[in-house]
Amino acid sequence: MAKTAITPTREQDFSAWYQNVISAADLAENSPVRGCMTIKPYGYAIWELIQKQFDAIIKSMGVQNCYFPTMIPLSFFQKEAEHVEGFAKESAVITHYRLKAVDGKITVDETAELTEPYVLRPTSETLFGEAMSRWVNSYRDLPMLLNQWANIFRWEMRPRIFLRTAEFLWQEGHCAFATKEECLKHALKMLSTYENFAKDTLALFSYTGEKTPEERFAGADNTYTFETMSQDGKSSQSGTSHNLGQHFAKSFNIKYQSEEGKEEFAWTNSWGVSSRLIGAMIVAHSDDDGLILPPAIAPYECVIIPFIKSDMDTKALTAYCEKVKESLLNAGIRVLFDNSDMRSSDKVWKWIKKGAPIRIEIGANELSQDSVTITRRDLGKASQKQINLKSISEIRDVLNTMQKDIYEKHKSLTLDSTKTVKTIEEAKELLAKDFKGFIKLPYKETLSEKYDELKETYKITRRCLPLEDKETVIIAKSF
RNA sequence: CGGGGAAUAGCUCAGUCUGGUAGAGUACUAGUUUUGGGAACUAGGUGUCGCAGGUUCGAAUCCUGUUUCCCCGACCA
């Protein structure tokens, strides 16, 4: 069997494989702080590309960015009963504002206790609610479409790098509307925006749907989600959109005067995607040789690797590589000329593990033929081909095709690993045979003790009721 | 937060039972020959043994506490 860059393989131990892909690609590492990660430059570059592209989308939809403090007064949580219930168990709380040194040891100064503790934001509905109560006055102020890019704290009991960390990065949109209909329509619009973004940018196929009541966001009328599948058949809640109805408007007193001069409560929604997207993308696409990045979020879509022979004119080769790099940059392609003095074959492996979509090899052959040799990361050596420098812009097409192919592959994986059954007994049969994937069945079938039994035994959860068919529920193991 | 495992060189780990002052592979540095999916030889540098106490003439090793990671649960808008 061929040697793989990552051990163990996905088949052998998916969880260990996942962590090794991240460290081999140099994306992130565990930090000394419990449950938190340090995102390294290559990993952060991926997040920046996600940020940049999604930010452009929401701005084109009329959303404006703003920024609130990381700390939320404890009293804000008390205003919405369900909400505090939902987040109480995973909140980090700031209680003191000063340190002291005793015998050279730094400790908390117990005399410097805050009169009101602050909660490190687990989400910002309360802050936005309080602000909107002042910012919304007239129907002319609506809709108010806001977003913030921020860090979030949730004291997770069992963290997993990117997929579930105690601190993570996200965007949270918070919007207020004059009518119930507008608000719901917009929440659903954001859900489809996420679905398309996941497809076009992260090459992720997803199931979109509504969360069942027990999975709903604390304080929402409806929670919508898009769920993506990992290669071991588990589901990741990759983004959500909540229709908050008037819960927060009433708790925080977000009122406006209508055209008729009447005072009305606004309707609000909120929606977010986080750095979990990176984790979802890794478990969906990567292989036993490491990371596979869809071109749209690859820090470098192409990496040029020179192959130097001892009797070669190094300067001529370097100059040629620079020329190739220039023409790719001119074609709007993110490219890196890896001119470091590693061995060429080591560079090849390095960029395989880091998931660079296209590897461009340039050596004596290419130099003499005015060409380059390209290899697609997802297809490996079989996809290797030589193209002429004159038609170098064809690489753009290869990247576009690759983006689509990775999506189609993930779509096939998901559809092939989704089984539809009619009864809870059939679902049980599947799970008993160690089925890895999603199971679709009539929702009412899961409203019995038999489902609870299944849930206990196989650790499955209701993922969502697909928008197009709310009588059906998708159940799966969760990340 | 409960149960189990772990923490020693950048990385993977041996050494811990039986206390005596730190080791391998790999990586790294230099040189030579190499280079198209993980090169070979030669010569070198590398450690608060997670952290804090304790026992001891002496602690990576024994004891106590603590932090972090991994696995299984519970938890997870």
Side-chain angles (χ1 to χ4, degrees), chain A residues 67-73 119-121 124 127 148 150-151 172:
Chain A
Y67 188 79
F68 283 76
T70 310
M71 295 178 284
I72 304 178
V119 179
L120 288 179
R121 65 175 158 231
S124 305
L127 283 171
Q148 83 167 344
N151 54 340
E172 49 181 325

Side-chain angles (χ1 to χ4, degrees), chain A residues 74 77-89 91 218:
Chain A
L74 186 63
F77 281 87
Q78 278 155 7
K79 294 184 181 176
E80 221 291 348
E82 283 180 53
H83 191 64
V84 65
E85 179 87 2
F87 286 100
K89 281 173 284 184
S91 292

Side-chain angles (χ1 to χ4, degrees), chain A residues 267-285:
Chain A
W267 300 79
T268 64
N269 67 30
S270 65
W271 31 276
V273 287
S274 71
S275 41
R276 173 183 278 182
L277 283 176
I278 297 175
M281 188 266 302
I282 295 168
V283 294
H285 305 320

Side-chain angles (χ1 to χ4, degrees), chain A residues 287-303:
Chain A
D287 68 13
D288 294 337
D289 281 333
L291 194 62
I292 292 180
L293 290 172
I297 49 149
Y300 305 112
E301 293 166 285
C302 298
V303 172

Side-chain angles (χ1 to χ4, degrees), chain A residues 365-381:
Chain A
N365 296 341
E366 290 77 9
L367 189 55
S368 65
Q369 291 165 33
D370 254 356
S371 69
V372 297
T373 298
I374 65 170
T375 312
R376 269 173 60 166
R377 170 62 183 89
D378 59 332
L379 302 179
K381 222 170 173 179

Side-chain angles (χ1 to χ4, degrees), chain A residues 263-476:
Chain A
E263 198 167 59
E264 309 268 9
F265 281 111
W267 300 79
T268 64
N269 67 30
S270 65
W271 31 276
V273 287
S274 71
S275 41
R276 173 183 278 182
L277 283 176
I278 297 175
M281 188 266 302
I282 295 168
V283 294
H285 305 320
S286 298
D287 68 13
D288 294 337
D289 281 333
L291 194 62
I292 292 180
L293 290 172
I297 49 149
Y300 305 112
E301 293 166 285
C302 298
V303 172
I304 300 171
I305 300 175
F307 280 79
I308 303 159
K309 284 210 171 76
S310 52
D311 57 346
M312 262 176 81
D313 180 354
T314 315
K315 275 186 188 164
L317 186 74
T318 304
Y320 183 74
C321 289
E322 290 287 359
K323 189 174 150 193
V324 172
K325 180 183 165 183
E326 277 306 308
S327 48
L328 288 169
L329 283 174
N330 289 338
I333 293 169
R334 291 185 296 278
V335 57
L336 176 79
F337 169 28
D338 188 349
N339 201 20
S340 61
D341 63 2
M342 285 169 80
R343 292 165 43 77
S344 303
S345 51
D346 288 341
K347 287 184 199 175
V348 168
W349 277 108
K350 173 181 170 175
W351 289 105
I352 287 172
K353 287 186 282 192
K354 287 170 91 72
I358 290 180
R359 184 169 80 241
I360 301 178
E361 299 181 8
I362 299 178
N365 296 341
E366 290 77 9
L367 189 55
S368 65
Q369 291 165 33
D370 254 356
S371 69
V372 297
T373 298
I374 65 170
T375 312
R376 269 173 60 166
R377 170 62 183 89
D378 59 332
L379 302 179
K381 222 170 173 179
S383 66
Q384 211 162 65
K385 65 171 183 180
Q386 219 167 327
I387 59 173
N388 198 280
L389 193 55
K390 280 180 210 145
S391 41
I392 192 92
S393 56
E394 275 177 23
I395 286 182
R396 180 82 273 166
D397 304 327
V398 177
L399 288 166
N400 290 342
T401 307
M402 186 172 169
Q403 180 82 25
K404 285 194 193 95
D405 286 354
I406 295 175
Y407 171 77
E408 288 302 331
K409 192 176 172 193
H410 186 238
K411 185 176 177 181
S412 305
L413 166 86
T414 309
L415 295 179
D416 293 348
S417 306
T418 303
K419 298 273 180 264
T420 304
V421 299
K422 288 196 178 66
T423 65
I424 194 81
E425 285 80 12
E426 286 177 65
K428 189 179 174 181
E429 241 171 79
L430 268 178
L431 291 165
K433 280 188 263 176
D434 199 27
F435 172 72
K436 286 184 170 52
F438 295 1
I439 300 173
K440 273 186 177 178
L441 74 165
Y443 180 39
K444 59 175 172 31
E445 284 290 309
T446 68
L447 300 174
S448 70
E449 279 175 21
K450 281 181 187 170
Y451 171 76
D452 297 335
E453 207 184 293
L454 217 60
K455 188 182 164 179
E456 280 299 310
T457 314
Y458 299 104
K459 310 298 168 201
I460 44 107
T461 51
R462 295 190 187 91
R463 305 311 303 176
C464 69
L465 309 172
L467 286 186
E468 67 279 5
D469 178 13
K470 289 194 182 169
E471 302 297 309
T472 291
V473 66
I474 296 175
I475 60 173

Side-chain angles (χ1 to χ4, degrees), chain A residues 6 20-28 42-43 290-291 350 353-355:
Chain A
I6 304 294
N20 287 337
V21 168
I22 289 168
S23 84
D26 211 26
L27 297 178
Y42 194 64
L291 194 62
K350 173 181 170 175
K353 287 186 282 192
K354 287 170 91 72

